[in-house]
Amino acid sequence: MERIIRGKHEAIELALICLFAEGHLLVEDVPGTGKTTLARSLAASVDAEWRRIQFTPDLLPSDITGVSIFNQAHQKFEFHQGPVFANIVLADEINRASPKTQAALLEVMEERRVTVDAEPHPVPRPFLVVATQNPVDMDGTYPLPEAQLDRFLMKISVGYPDHASEVEVLKGMPTGPQVERLPVVARSSDVAGMIDFASRIHVADPVYDYIVAVCAATRTSPHLRLGASPRGSLALLRAARVKAAAAGRHYVVPEDVKALAVPVLAHRLILTPEAELREVTAAAALGEILAGMPVPQAA
């Protein structure tokens, strides 16, 4: 992936943590920074089925989930799967669709199934939704509600490349590495095995206490009107287990939790009006909580 997305090791690492933690990723950044390319290069590196959904104001929920069509030959309704039935789903510019269409992803992102005509249809495993949105061009957009934001394991920003990386991008075009040429390095069954392995990483009781204490502190912070939910605690735990496994450890350390707290929790927090007036960000409020929180020490 770093052959395509130059100089963005952290963003790529977080995207992979999302994949192996069975979460979903929201990428918010200005146009042209590689949001869609990040998702495409991830899909190209895994031998798994992937689909892209371009979110537009006229997109309908059935365009995402699928629809039941009457088969005259068999005299019954048959379900035709929508593009959400894939291992990796790119929801491009998700905030351009209406709230009704955005809500079509709520069930499948949480329960990994789609219910149509009272009949549940499970999606394949692994299942990852990578959604992108543009924070500057807000005309004709519908901000994601808190319930939907809470379903994303992480929210990240790719950001502009540094000078050297941008020079490499210019030198490599158009003959340089392209997404279509990326080699497949893992099968979907390999990814499923890594997900199961990460879920068995040991977590000591003091680390459980640390995760809960951090999330609980967001609920009482004077800067925050809404803190992290228990879903946020579970997301932080899953992500920390994957980070520990990627580092070659069979146990989670508090540094894993601290490193992932902002991308996992910040988008779940709502600032008070006073904090917004003082231009305090959710990440800054979370950083203040982490700085004042005692870190458990090894016995």
Side-chain angles (χ1 to χ4, degrees):
M1 290 174 65
E2 289 193 74
R3 298 180 190 179
I4 304 295
I5 311 292
R6 299 298 180 93
K8 294 298 174 185
H9 177 80
E10 183 181 359
I12 292 172
E13 182 183 13
L14 292 174
L16 290 171
I17 287 174
C18 267
L19 175 64
F20 296 123
E22 280 198 297
H24 306 291
L25 180 66
L26 177 61
V27 188
E28 181 181 84
D29 217 327
V30 296
T33 51
K35 301 186 296 294
T36 304
T37 306
L38 175 68
R40 289 184 60 205
S41 58
L42 174 60
S45 302
V46 180
D47 184 17
E49 191 174 5
W50 87 286
R51 294 285 185 272
R52 173 177 177 171
I53 308 171
Q54 184 66 53
F55 277 65
T56 56
D58 60 345
L59 193 72
L60 298 175
S62 58
D63 295 331
I64 298 173
T65 59
V67 65
S68 293
I69 298 176
F70 187 73
N71 188 323
Q72 291 188 345
H74 297 91
Q75 290 295 300
K76 66 176 183 179
F77 282 94
E78 293 181 352
F79 177 65
H80 289 249
Q81 295 181 350
V84 78
F85 286 86
N87 298 111
I88 299 175
V89 178
L90 170 58
D92 214 3
E93 296 190 278
I94 189 172
N95 56 336
R96 294 212 170 273
S98 67
K100 180 180 179 180
T101 303
Q102 291 175 6
L105 287 172
L106 289 175
E107 180 187 15
V108 71
M109 288 176 68
E110 180 67 18
E111 302 177 28
R112 287 173 169 74
R113 67 177 186 180
V114 172
T115 303
V116 178
D117 297 332
E119 185 73 24
H121 304 274
V123 294
R125 189 176 187 237
F127 177 68
L128 169 70
V129 173
V130 181
T132 69
Q133 65 178 11
N134 178 1
V136 292
D137 182 14
M138 301 306 292
D139 291 337
T141 62
Y142 303 87
L144 293 176
E146 285 72 28
Q148 185 124 20
L149 285 172
D150 203 35
R151 279 167 167 76
F152 285 100
L153 183 81
M154 291 185 194
K155 178 182 176 183
I156 67 170
S157 172
V158 178
Y160 292 113
D162 57 41
H163 181 86
S165 298
E166 194 162 358
V167 169
E168 285 185 35
V169 171
L170 296 181
K171 287 182 177 179
M173 295 299 290
T175 58
Q178 298 176 2
V179 174
E180 294 77 12
R181 300 179 189 172
L182 281 181
V184 172
V185 295
R187 296 167 299 181
S188 57
S189 58
D190 298 329
V191 174
M194 294 179 202
I195 290 170
D196 291 335
F197 176 80
S199 68
R200 296 192 297 270
I201 295 295
H202 175 69
V203 181
D205 286 344
V207 177
Y208 281 122
D209 291 337
Y210 183 59
I211 292 172
V212 172
V214 169
C215 292
T218 64
R219 301 164 196 161
T220 57
S221 170
H223 301 305
L224 301 174
R225 182 161 54 92
L226 180 69
S229 67
R231 185 188 283 137
S233 306
L234 290 168
L236 190 53
L237 173 65
R238 281 158 42 205
R241 276 181 158 144
V242 173
K243 189 169 179 63
R249 283 184 273 105
H250 292 276
Y251 53 90
V252 175
V253 296
E255 285 68 25
D256 297 327
V257 178
K258 290 185 72 173
L260 295 168
V262 171
V264 172
L265 298 179
H267 65 284
R268 306 170 194 270
L269 311 177
I270 298 180
L271 295 164
T272 62
E274 295 79 14
E276 291 181 349
L277 284 173
R278 295 198 303 271
E279 297 185 349
V280 176
T281 63
L286 194 52
E288 186 178 304
I289 290 170
L290 292 170
M293 185 74 60
V295 177
Q297 303 296 321

